[in-house]
Amino acid sequence: MSKTFETNALKGKSLAAGMRKRIAELGQFGVKEQDLAAMEQDADKAIEMIREVDSLREEVTRKLQAANAKLNSVRDRAAVYRKIIKANYLQEQWAGFGLLDKR
């Protein structure tokens, strides 16, 4: 989780907790207990959601690395097969093997 994200969420929770202690005084300004509780719940939910996002990012990273490894394997094998075709067939015949190289 990014430090800025976490810091902002925790600041919101801290503010709500501090204001709750002086709710009687702040009531004259329209501050309500349920609004502070909602802010704390929203901060908790935001933290939970960003942790889920972080988990998904890690999963995406692992899957991307696996996909890149597969692609590298395909490229390596294709390079070997291209060399075989180029070494053993005339350029005019390469297209018949799916090889569209010009040289």
Side-chain angles (χ1 to χ4, degrees):
M1 163 179 358
S2 87
K3 197 64 177 165
T4 303
F5 191 98
E6 182 180 18
T7 299
N8 285 326
L10 292 176
K11 281 181 182 179
K13 286 183 69 164
S14 177
L15 178 64
M19 291 177 72
R20 181 175 280 121
K21 293 176 186 173
R22 299 180 71 171
I23 193 68
E25 179 181 335
L26 293 169
Q28 66 181 339
F29 300 109
V31 178
K32 298 177 185 150
E33 172 70 29
Q34 61 266 30
D35 293 336
L36 296 176
M39 188 164 84
E40 286 178 321
Q41 289 172 351
D42 288 348
D44 288 336
K45 184 66 177 173
I47 289 171
E48 178 186 325
M49 292 170 78
I50 199 64
R51 286 184 178 148
E52 182 181 352
V53 167
D54 289 342
S55 174
L56 291 170
R57 281 185 182 137
E58 288 174 11
E59 182 180 350
V60 165
T61 298
R62 284 191 306 273
K63 288 187 176 195
L64 179 60
Q65 289 171 345
N68 283 334
K70 289 289 184 193
L71 181 59
N72 287 338
S73 174
V74 168
R75 273 194 256 159
D76 292 345
R77 281 187 271 151
V80 170
Y81 296 152
R82 271 195 306 273
K83 286 180 184 178
I84 291 170
I85 292 168
K86 287 181 177 185
N88 295 293
Y89 294 92
L90 295 173
Q91 184 176 0
E92 295 80 30
Q93 296 173 309
W94 294 356
F97 292 97
L99 184 60
L100 304 176
D101 292 0
K102 299 291 182 191
R103 52 186 169 104

